[in-house]
Structures are given as C-alpha cells and as structure tokens.
C-alpha cells in the first residue's frame, strides 16, 4: 500500500498485497525441488510434490500481479479505481461526489482479526461498498492509515 500523490486536487495510491504471493512462490519452489529430488530417487510420490509446487508458484505469481490503483481527481470530478492482474484490468470510474468515505471493515475468524479496506459509494448504479484490498487479511494498521489518508483528502471525519 503506497501513497503516490496527495495534493489539493489529486489523490493517488497503489494497493498491492505482496506477502502471500511471495510466501506461496517460495514454498512452491521448495515443494517442486523436493518433488524433483524424490522423482530422481525413484519415488513416484515426488510427482505430487512437483504438481503441488507448480500450482503454488502459479498462485503466488497471480497474487503478486494483483494490484488496485485509486485516483481521486477534483479537477475532473472523477474517482477511478483500477483493478489489474495477470488476466487483464478493469476500470471503474465514478463521480467524485458519490464517494462518501473510506472504511476498514473488521472480521474475527478463529481468534484472528482480519481487515478489508473499502470505499463507500452512494447513489447511482455502483452504490455500496467497493473493496480496495480484494478480501480480508491482516495488516489493519496499514489499511487504517490508507483509509485515514483518503478520508482526510475527501474532508470526511474519521
């Protein structure tokens, strides 16, 4: 999560979750290496390790490629949210006046606290909440910091 620009007329940030993708890629390489070693030793079960490892690498690369870019522009009066991954991108352009606030949603699962950064949109066909982080994950303080920065730019009280 990084702030690119924060001026009177423009707010721009990039949101990217890299930890899960990095860990999956590293563990995928380890699984694949173990599987190749087992296959070299004549163990047929090594093929399962290779398949699981390659799947983990693929999922990790996909997670590393996922990113959300948010641009709030007072000069044009628009808010643009760009969702991109390996499989393409999708842009959502909204009137800036329809963005009411940024918010961090909280959820408890098995004693763990998980957080999701969302934009609240009112009016129009896109009214409701739009997730900027994809899903619930750890790191509530970073998401809270980004929500406070967006709300301060919008002039909304936290």
């Amino acid at each position: 999560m990084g702030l690119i620009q924060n001026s009177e007329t423009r707010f721009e940030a990039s949101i990217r979750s890299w930890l899960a993708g990095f860990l999956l890629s590293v563990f995928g390489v380890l699984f694949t290496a173990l599987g190749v070693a087992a296959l070299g030793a004549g163990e047929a079960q090594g093929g399962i390790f290779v398949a699981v490892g390659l799947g983990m690498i693929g999922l990790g690369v996909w997670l590393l490629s996922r990113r959300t870019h948010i641009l709030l522009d007072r000069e044009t009066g628009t808010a643009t949210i760009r969702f991109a991954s390996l499989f393409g991108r999708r842009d959502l352009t909204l009137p800036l006046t329809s963005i009411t606030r940024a918010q961090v949603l909280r959820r408890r699962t098995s004693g763990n606290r998980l957080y999701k950064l969302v934009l609240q949109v009112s009016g129009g066909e896109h009214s409701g909440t739009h997730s900027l982080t994809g899903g619930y994950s750890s790191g509530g303080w970073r998401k809270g910091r980004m929500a406070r920065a967006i709300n301060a730019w919008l002039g909304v009280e936290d």
Side-chain angles (χ1 to χ4, degrees):
M1 249 178 249
L3 190 59
I4 298 169
Q5 183 179 3
N6 187 359
S7 67
E8 286 293 319
T9 60
R10 190 175 171 108
F11 181 91
E12 189 173 3
S14 179
I15 300 166
R16 182 179 218 162
S17 176
W18 60 270
L19 183 61
F22 177 75
L23 289 176
L24 271 172
S25 298
V26 168
F27 285 121
V29 168
L30 291 174
F31 266 69
T32 303
L34 286 172
V36 169
L39 284 173
E43 296 289 332
Q45 296 90 348
I48 295 171
F49 274 83
V50 170
V52 169
L54 291 176
M56 290 171 75
I57 291 170
L59 183 60
V61 168
W62 176 74
L63 284 173
L64 284 171
S65 76
R66 288 184 56 196
R67 61 201 170 280
T68 302
H69 188 89
I70 180 169
L71 174 62
L72 307 174
D73 193 345
R74 283 197 176 105
E75 289 179 355
T76 61
T78 60
T80 304
I81 307 167
R82 174 175 293 149
F83 305 98
S85 73
L86 283 175
F87 302 111
R89 82 175 199 208
R90 178 177 59 96
D91 290 350
L92 177 63
T93 303
L94 305 164
L96 187 58
T97 56
S98 69
I99 306 291
T100 57
R101 69 180 306 110
Q103 185 178 12
V104 178
L105 302 179
R106 294 166 183 86
R107 185 168 79 179
R108 259 188 119 92
T109 305
S110 302
N112 296 325
R113 291 185 184 149
L114 301 174
Y115 308 91
K116 178 163 95 169
L117 178 62
V118 297
L119 274 183
Q120 297 288 337
V121 178
S122 65
E125 65 181 271
H126 297 290
S127 78
T129 59
H130 293 274
S131 177
L132 298 178
T133 54
Y136 286 92
S137 63
S138 61
W141 65 272
R142 287 179 299 149
K143 293 173 180 78
R145 189 173 61 192
M146 182 63 72
R148 285 189 298 277
I150 292 170
N151 287 338
W153 190 86
L154 290 170
V156 175
E157 291 286 324
D158 263 342

PDB file of all heavy atoms in Angstrom, residues 71-89:
ATOM      1  N   LEU A  71      -7.446   6.688  -8.009  1.00  0.00           N
ATOM      2  CA  LEU A  71      -7.156   8.068  -8.396  1.00  0.00           C
ATOM      3  C   LEU A  71      -8.396   8.912  -8.147  1.00  0.00           C
ATOM      4  O   LEU A  71      -9.455   8.669  -8.739  1.00  0.00           O
ATOM      5  CB  LEU A  71      -6.758   8.141  -9.871  1.00  0.00           C
ATOM      6  CG  LEU A  71      -6.572   9.532 -10.462  1.00  0.00           C
ATOM      7  CD1 LEU A  71      -5.444  10.270  -9.761  1.00  0.00           C
ATOM      8  CD2 LEU A  71      -6.310   9.438 -11.944  1.00  0.00           C
ATOM      9  N   LEU A  72      -8.270   9.866  -7.239  1.00  0.00           N
ATOM     10  CA  LEU A  72      -9.341  10.816  -6.956  1.00  0.00           C
ATOM     11  C   LEU A  72      -8.882  12.171  -7.486  1.00  0.00           C
ATOM     12  O   LEU A  72      -7.813  12.657  -7.105  1.00  0.00           O
ATOM     13  CB  LEU A  72      -9.599  10.897  -5.446  1.00  0.00           C
ATOM     14  CG  LEU A  72      -9.844   9.573  -4.730  1.00  0.00           C
ATOM     15  CD1 LEU A  72      -9.943   9.789  -3.228  1.00  0.00           C
ATOM     16  CD2 LEU A  72     -11.074   8.890  -5.262  1.00  0.00           C
ATOM     17  N   ASP A  73      -9.672  12.772  -8.379  1.00  0.00           N
ATOM     18  CA  ASP A  73      -9.252  13.995  -9.057  1.00  0.00           C
ATOM     19  C   ASP A  73     -10.342  15.056  -8.958  1.00  0.00           C
ATOM     20  O   ASP A  73     -11.434  14.884  -9.508  1.00  0.00           O
ATOM     21  CB  ASP A  73      -8.944  13.677 -10.521  1.00  0.00           C
ATOM     22  CG  ASP A  73      -8.209  14.785 -11.233  1.00  0.00           C
ATOM     23  OD1 ASP A  73      -8.161  15.919 -10.716  1.00  0.00           O
ATOM     24  OD2 ASP A  73      -7.666  14.508 -12.313  1.00  0.00           O
ATOM     25  N   ARG A  74     -10.049  16.145  -8.259  1.00  0.00           N
ATOM     26  CA  ARG A  74     -11.025  17.232  -8.113  1.00  0.00           C
ATOM     27  C   ARG A  74     -11.194  18.021  -9.397  1.00  0.00           C
ATOM     28  O   ARG A  74     -12.262  18.564  -9.653  1.00  0.00           O
ATOM     29  CB  ARG A  74     -10.600  18.159  -6.978  1.00  0.00           C
ATOM     30  CG  ARG A  74     -10.880  17.592  -5.619  1.00  0.00           C
ATOM     31  CD  ARG A  74     -10.832  18.662  -4.527  1.00  0.00           C
ATOM     32  NE  ARG A  74     -11.195  18.067  -3.266  1.00  0.00           N
ATOM     33  CZ  ARG A  74     -10.343  17.781  -2.295  1.00  0.00           C
ATOM     34  NH1 ARG A  74      -9.063  18.060  -2.438  1.00  0.00           N
ATOM     35  NH2 ARG A  74     -10.765  17.229  -1.178  1.00  0.00           N
ATOM     36  N   GLU A  75     -10.158  18.121 -10.210  1.00  0.00           N
ATOM     37  CA  GLU A  75     -10.251  18.901 -11.448  1.00  0.00           C
ATOM     38  C   GLU A  75     -11.253  18.292 -12.424  1.00  0.00           C
ATOM     39  O   GLU A  75     -12.016  19.007 -13.062  1.00  0.00           O
ATOM     40  CB  GLU A  75      -8.876  19.027 -12.096  1.00  0.00           C
ATOM     41  CG  GLU A  75      -7.946  19.940 -11.331  1.00  0.00           C
ATOM     42  CD  GLU A  75      -6.581  20.048 -11.964  1.00  0.00           C
ATOM     43  OE1 GLU A  75      -6.311  19.336 -12.969  1.00  0.00           O
ATOM     44  OE2 GLU A  75      -5.772  20.841 -11.466  1.00  0.00           O
ATOM     45  N   THR A  76     -11.242  16.972 -12.545  1.00  0.00           N
ATOM     46  CA  THR A  76     -12.188  16.313 -13.452  1.00  0.00           C
ATOM     47  C   THR A  76     -13.454  15.866 -12.730  1.00  0.00           C
ATOM     48  O   THR A  76     -14.428  15.501 -13.372  1.00  0.00           O
ATOM     49  CB  THR A  76     -11.540  15.087 -14.115  1.00  0.00           C
ATOM     50  OG1 THR A  76     -11.166  14.154 -13.108  1.00  0.00           O
ATOM     51  CG2 THR A  76     -10.336  15.491 -14.949  1.00  0.00           C
ATOM     52  N   GLY A  77     -13.413  15.849 -11.385  1.00  0.00           N
ATOM     53  CA  GLY A  77     -14.570  15.430 -10.603  1.00  0.00           C
ATOM     54  C   GLY A  77     -14.832  13.939 -10.665  1.00  0.00           C
ATOM     55  O   GLY A  77     -15.965  13.499 -10.516  1.00  0.00           O
ATOM     56  N   THR A  78     -13.762  13.158 -10.877  1.00  0.00           N
ATOM     57  CA  THR A  78     -13.933  11.712 -11.005  1.00  0.00           C
ATOM     58  C   THR A  78     -13.083  10.953  -9.992  1.00  0.00           C
ATOM     59  O   THR A  78     -12.069  11.441  -9.506  1.00  0.00           O
ATOM     60  CB  THR A  78     -13.526  11.219 -12.416  1.00  0.00           C
ATOM     61  OG1 THR A  78     -12.158  11.550 -12.642  1.00  0.00           O
ATOM     62  CG2 THR A  78     -14.403  11.818 -13.488  1.00  0.00           C
ATOM     63  N   ALA A  79     -13.528   9.758  -9.720  1.00  0.00           N
ATOM     64  CA  ALA A  79     -12.777   8.792  -8.924  1.00  0.00           C
ATOM     65  C   ALA A  79     -12.617   7.550  -9.794  1.00  0.00           C
ATOM     66  O   ALA A  79     -13.609   6.988 -10.269  1.00  0.00           O
ATOM     67  CB  ALA A  79     -13.521   8.446  -7.649  1.00  0.00           C
ATOM     68  N   THR A  80     -11.382   7.147 -10.033  1.00  0.00           N
ATOM     69  CA  THR A  80     -11.114   5.979 -10.861  1.00  0.00           C
ATOM     70  C   THR A  80     -10.438   4.920 -10.016  1.00  0.00           C
ATOM     71  O   THR A  80      -9.440   5.190  -9.351  1.00  0.00           O
ATOM     72  CB  THR A  80     -10.208   6.349 -12.054  1.00  0.00           C
ATOM     73  OG1 THR A  80     -10.816   7.402 -12.791  1.00  0.00           O
ATOM     74  CG2 THR A  80      -9.984   5.153 -12.951  1.00  0.00           C
ATOM     75  N   ILE A  81     -11.002   3.722 -10.050  1.00  0.00           N
ATOM     76  CA  ILE A  81     -10.422   2.575  -9.358  1.00  0.00           C
ATOM     77  C   ILE A  81     -10.058   1.560 -10.435  1.00  0.00           C
ATOM     78  O   ILE A  81     -10.913   1.133 -11.212  1.00  0.00           O
ATOM     79  CB  ILE A  81     -11.414   1.953  -8.355  1.00  0.00           C
ATOM     80  CG1 ILE A  81     -11.956   3.015  -7.415  1.00  0.00           C
ATOM     81  CG2 ILE A  81     -10.753   0.831  -7.586  1.00  0.00           C
ATOM     82  CD1 ILE A  81     -13.144   2.560  -6.608  1.00  0.00           C
ATOM     83  N   ARG A  82      -8.785   1.188 -10.483  1.00  0.00           N
ATOM     84  CA  ARG A  82      -8.303   0.236 -11.489  1.00  0.00           C
ATOM     85  C   ARG A  82      -7.877  -1.044 -10.783  1.00  0.00           C
ATOM     86  O   ARG A  82      -7.022  -1.030  -9.901  1.00  0.00           O
ATOM     87  CB  ARG A  82      -7.128   0.821 -12.253  1.00  0.00           C
ATOM     88  CG  ARG A  82      -6.487  -0.173 -13.211  1.00  0.00           C
ATOM     89  CD  ARG A  82      -5.409   0.466 -14.040  1.00  0.00           C
ATOM     90  NE  ARG A  82      -6.066   1.422 -14.917  1.00  0.00           N
ATOM     91  CZ  ARG A  82      -5.505   2.547 -15.337  1.00  0.00           C
ATOM     92  NH1 ARG A  82      -4.299   2.867 -14.953  1.00  0.00           N
ATOM     93  NH2 ARG A  82      -6.159   3.350 -16.145  1.00  0.00           N
ATOM     94  N   PHE A  83      -8.498  -2.152 -11.173  1.00  0.00           N
ATOM     95  CA  PHE A  83      -8.159  -3.477 -10.660  1.00  0.00           C
ATOM     96  C   PHE A  83      -7.392  -4.189 -11.767  1.00  0.00           C
ATOM     97  O   PHE A  83      -7.908  -4.346 -12.870  1.00  0.00           O
ATOM     98  CB  PHE A  83      -9.414  -4.273 -10.319  1.00  0.00           C
ATOM     99  CG  PHE A  83     -10.336  -3.572  -9.354  1.00  0.00           C
ATOM    100  CD1 PHE A  83     -11.430  -2.864  -9.820  1.00  0.00           C
ATOM    101  CD2 PHE A  83     -10.094  -3.611  -8.002  1.00  0.00           C
ATOM    102  CE1 PHE A  83     -12.279  -2.221  -8.948  1.00  0.00           C
ATOM    103  CE2 PHE A  83     -10.941  -2.964  -7.112  1.00  0.00           C
ATOM    104  CZ  PHE A  83     -12.034  -2.264  -7.590  1.00  0.00           C
ATOM    105  N   ALA A  84      -6.160  -4.633 -11.486  1.00  0.00           N
ATOM    106  CA  ALA A  84      -5.340  -5.270 -12.519  1.00  0.00           C
ATOM    107  C   ALA A  84      -4.719  -6.553 -11.979  1.00  0.00           C
ATOM    108  O   ALA A  84      -4.441  -6.675 -10.787  1.00  0.00           O
ATOM    109  CB  ALA A  84      -4.246  -4.317 -12.985  1.00  0.00           C
ATOM    110  N   SER A  85      -4.519  -7.507 -12.889  1.00  0.00           N
ATOM    111  CA  SER A  85      -3.828  -8.754 -12.564  1.00  0.00           C
ATOM    112  C   SER A  85      -3.237  -9.306 -13.857  1.00  0.00           C
ATOM    113  O   SER A  85      -3.260  -8.637 -14.892  1.00  0.00           O
ATOM    114  CB  SER A  85      -4.793  -9.768 -11.943  1.00  0.00           C
ATOM    115  OG  SER A  85      -5.663 -10.296 -12.906  1.00  0.00           O
ATOM    116  N   LEU A  86      -2.736 -10.520 -13.807  1.00  0.00           N
ATOM    117  CA  LEU A  86      -2.178 -11.152 -14.999  1.00  0.00           C
ATOM    118  C   LEU A  86      -3.202 -11.289 -16.121  1.00  0.00           C
ATOM    119  O   LEU A  86      -2.854 -11.334 -17.293  1.00  0.00           O
ATOM    120  CB  LEU A  86      -1.668 -12.560 -14.660  1.00  0.00           C
ATOM    121  CG  LEU A  86      -0.346 -12.656 -13.938  1.00  0.00           C
ATOM    122  CD1 LEU A  86      -0.072 -14.106 -13.575  1.00  0.00           C
ATOM    123  CD2 LEU A  86       0.771 -12.111 -14.772  1.00  0.00           C
ATOM    124  N   PHE A  87      -4.463 -11.381 -15.760  1.00  0.00           N
ATOM    125  CA  PHE A  87      -5.506 -11.669 -16.733  1.00  0.00           C
ATOM    126  C   PHE A  87      -6.200 -10.430 -17.264  1.00  0.00           C
ATOM    127  O   PHE A  87      -7.254 -10.521 -17.880  1.00  0.00           O
ATOM    128  CB  PHE A  87      -6.527 -12.630 -16.123  1.00  0.00           C
ATOM    129  CG  PHE A  87      -5.890 -13.909 -15.662  1.00  0.00           C
ATOM    130  CD1 PHE A  87      -5.799 -14.205 -14.320  1.00  0.00           C
ATOM    131  CD2 PHE A  87      -5.353 -14.797 -16.568  1.00  0.00           C
ATOM    132  CE1 PHE A  87      -5.195 -15.369 -13.887  1.00  0.00           C
ATOM    133  CE2 PHE A  87      -4.751 -15.963 -16.149  1.00  0.00           C
ATOM    134  CZ  PHE A  87      -4.662 -16.256 -14.814  1.00  0.00           C
ATOM    135  N   GLY A  88      -5.640  -9.257 -17.027  1.00  0.00           N
ATOM    136  CA  GLY A  88      -6.224  -8.035 -17.565  1.00  0.00           C
ATOM    137  C   GLY A  88      -6.518  -7.028 -16.478  1.00  0.00           C
ATOM    138  O   GLY A  88      -6.092  -7.165 -15.334  1.00  0.00           O
ATOM    139  N   ARG A  89      -7.256  -6.007 -16.880  1.00  0.00           N
ATOM    140  CA  ARG A  89      -7.595  -4.976 -15.915  1.00  0.00           C
ATOM    141  C   ARG A  89      -9.033  -4.527 -16.122  1.00  0.00           C
ATOM    142  O   ARG A  89      -9.609  -4.679 -17.203  1.00  0.00           O
ATOM    143  CB  ARG A  89      -6.630  -3.815 -16.001  1.00  0.00           C
ATOM    144  CG  ARG A  89      -6.920  -2.829 -17.076  1.00  0.00           C
ATOM    145  CD  ARG A  89      -5.971  -1.661 -16.976  1.00  0.00           C
ATOM    146  NE  ARG A  89      -6.554  -0.569 -17.719  1.00  0.00           N
ATOM    147  CZ  ARG A  89      -5.879   0.372 -18.296  1.00  0.00           C
ATOM    148  NH1 ARG A  89      -4.582   0.386 -18.199  1.00  0.00           N
ATOM    149  NH2 ARG A  89      -6.479   1.320 -18.951  1.00  0.00           N
TER     150      ARG A  89
END
